[in-house]
Short mmCIF file of all heavy atoms in Angstrom, two decimals:
data_model
loop_
_atom_site.label_atom_id
_atom_site.label_comp_id
_atom_site.label_asym_id
_atom_site.label_seq_id
_atom_site.Cartn_x
_atom_site.Cartn_y
_atom_site.Cartn_z
N ALA A 134 1.04 -12.05 -51.14
CA ALA A 134 -0.14 -12.86 -50.82
C ALA A 134 -0.04 -13.39 -49.40
O ALA A 134 -1.02 -13.44 -48.66
CB ALA A 134 -0.27 -14.00 -51.82
N GLU A 135 1.18 -13.81 -49.00
CA GLU A 135 1.35 -14.35 -47.65
C GLU A 135 1.19 -13.24 -46.61
O GLU A 135 0.64 -13.46 -45.52
CB GLU A 135 2.72 -15.00 -47.52
CG GLU A 135 2.90 -16.25 -48.35
CD GLU A 135 3.29 -15.91 -49.80
OE1 GLU A 135 3.41 -14.71 -50.10
OE2 GLU A 135 3.45 -16.84 -50.60
N GLY A 136 1.70 -12.03 -46.90
CA GLY A 136 1.56 -10.93 -45.97
C GLY A 136 0.11 -10.55 -45.75
O GLY A 136 -0.29 -10.18 -44.65
N ARG A 137 -0.70 -10.66 -46.78
CA ARG A 137 -2.13 -10.38 -46.64
C ARG A 137 -2.80 -11.37 -45.68
O ARG A 137 -3.73 -11.01 -44.95
CB ARG A 137 -2.81 -10.46 -48.00
CG ARG A 137 -2.51 -9.27 -48.91
CD ARG A 137 -3.11 -9.49 -50.29
NE ARG A 137 -2.97 -8.29 -51.11
CZ ARG A 137 -3.88 -7.35 -51.22
NH1 ARG A 137 -5.03 -7.48 -50.57
NH2 ARG A 137 -3.69 -6.29 -51.99
N VAL A 138 -2.31 -12.62 -45.68
CA VAL A 138 -2.86 -13.62 -44.77
C VAL A 138 -2.59 -13.23 -43.31
O VAL A 138 -3.47 -13.28 -42.45
CB VAL A 138 -2.28 -15.02 -45.06
CG1 VAL A 138 -2.71 -16.02 -44.00
CG2 VAL A 138 -2.70 -15.48 -46.44
N VAL A 139 -1.34 -12.80 -43.03
CA VAL A 139 -1.00 -12.36 -41.68
C VAL A 139 -1.86 -11.18 -41.28
O VAL A 139 -2.40 -11.11 -40.17
CB VAL A 139 0.49 -12.01 -41.60
CG1 VAL A 139 0.84 -11.49 -40.19
CG2 VAL A 139 1.35 -13.21 -41.95
N LEU A 140 -2.00 -10.21 -42.18
CA LEU A 140 -2.81 -9.03 -41.90
C LEU A 140 -4.27 -9.41 -41.67
O LEU A 140 -4.95 -8.82 -40.83
CB LEU A 140 -2.69 -8.04 -43.05
CG LEU A 140 -3.34 -6.67 -42.84
CD1 LEU A 140 -2.68 -5.95 -41.66
CD2 LEU A 140 -3.25 -5.82 -44.10
N PHE A 141 -4.74 -10.40 -42.41
CA PHE A 141 -6.12 -10.85 -42.26
C PHE A 141 -6.37 -11.40 -40.85
O PHE A 141 -7.34 -11.03 -40.19
CB PHE A 141 -6.43 -11.92 -43.31
CG PHE A 141 -7.76 -12.57 -43.14
CD1 PHE A 141 -8.93 -11.94 -43.55
CD2 PHE A 141 -7.86 -13.83 -42.56
CE1 PHE A 141 -10.17 -12.54 -43.39
CE2 PHE A 141 -9.10 -14.44 -42.39
CZ PHE A 141 -10.25 -13.80 -42.81
N PHE A 142 -5.48 -12.29 -40.40
CA PHE A 142 -5.68 -12.87 -39.07
C PHE A 142 -5.51 -11.82 -37.96
O PHE A 142 -6.21 -11.84 -36.95
CB PHE A 142 -4.71 -14.03 -38.86
CG PHE A 142 -5.11 -15.29 -39.58
CD1 PHE A 142 -4.36 -15.76 -40.65
CD2 PHE A 142 -6.25 -15.99 -39.21
CE1 PHE A 142 -4.74 -16.92 -41.32
CE2 PHE A 142 -6.63 -17.15 -39.87
CZ PHE A 142 -5.87 -17.62 -40.94
N ALA A 143 -4.56 -10.88 -38.15
CA ALA A 143 -4.41 -9.79 -37.18
C ALA A 143 -5.67 -8.95 -37.12
O ALA A 143 -6.12 -8.52 -36.04
CB ALA A 143 -3.20 -8.93 -37.54
N THR A 144 -6.28 -8.73 -38.28
CA THR A 144 -7.51 -7.94 -38.33
C THR A 144 -8.65 -8.65 -37.61
O THR A 144 -9.45 -8.02 -36.92
CB THR A 144 -7.89 -7.65 -39.79
OG1 THR A 144 -6.81 -6.98 -40.44
CG2 THR A 144 -9.13 -6.77 -39.86
N ILE A 145 -8.73 -9.96 -37.77
CA ILE A 145 -9.79 -10.74 -37.10
C ILE A 145 -9.64 -10.61 -35.58
O ILE A 145 -10.63 -10.42 -34.85
CB ILE A 145 -9.74 -12.21 -37.53
CG1 ILE A 145 -10.08 -12.35 -39.01
CG2 ILE A 145 -10.70 -13.04 -36.69
CD1 ILE A 145 -11.44 -11.84 -39.40
N VAL A 146 -8.40 -10.70 -35.10
CA VAL A 146 -8.17 -10.56 -33.66
C VAL A 146 -8.58 -9.18 -33.19
O VAL A 146 -9.24 -9.02 -32.15
CB VAL A 146 -6.68 -10.83 -33.33
CG1 VAL A 146 -6.39 -10.49 -31.86
CG2 VAL A 146 -6.32 -12.28 -33.63
N ILE A 147 -8.23 -8.15 -33.95
CA ILE A 147 -8.57 -6.78 -33.56
C ILE A 147 -10.07 -6.56 -33.59
O ILE A 147 -10.63 -5.86 -32.73
CB ILE A 147 -7.83 -5.78 -34.48
CG1 ILE A 147 -6.34 -5.79 -34.12
CG2 ILE A 147 -8.41 -4.38 -34.34
CD1 ILE A 147 -5.49 -4.90 -34.98
N VAL A 148 -10.77 -7.15 -34.54
CA VAL A 148 -12.23 -7.04 -34.58
C VAL A 148 -12.83 -7.65 -33.32
O VAL A 148 -13.77 -7.09 -32.72
CB VAL A 148 -12.79 -7.73 -35.84
CG1 VAL A 148 -14.31 -7.88 -35.74
CG2 VAL A 148 -12.44 -6.93 -37.08
N ALA A 149 -12.30 -8.79 -32.87
CA ALA A 149 -12.79 -9.41 -31.63
C ALA A 149 -12.53 -8.50 -30.43
O ALA A 149 -13.40 -8.33 -29.56
CB ALA A 149 -12.12 -10.76 -31.43
#
Side-chain angles (χ1 to χ4, degrees):
E135 293 83 0
R137 286 174 173 266
V138 173
V139 178
L140 188 62
F141 173 79
F142 283 112
T144 303
I145 294 301
V146 172
I147 288 178
V148 168

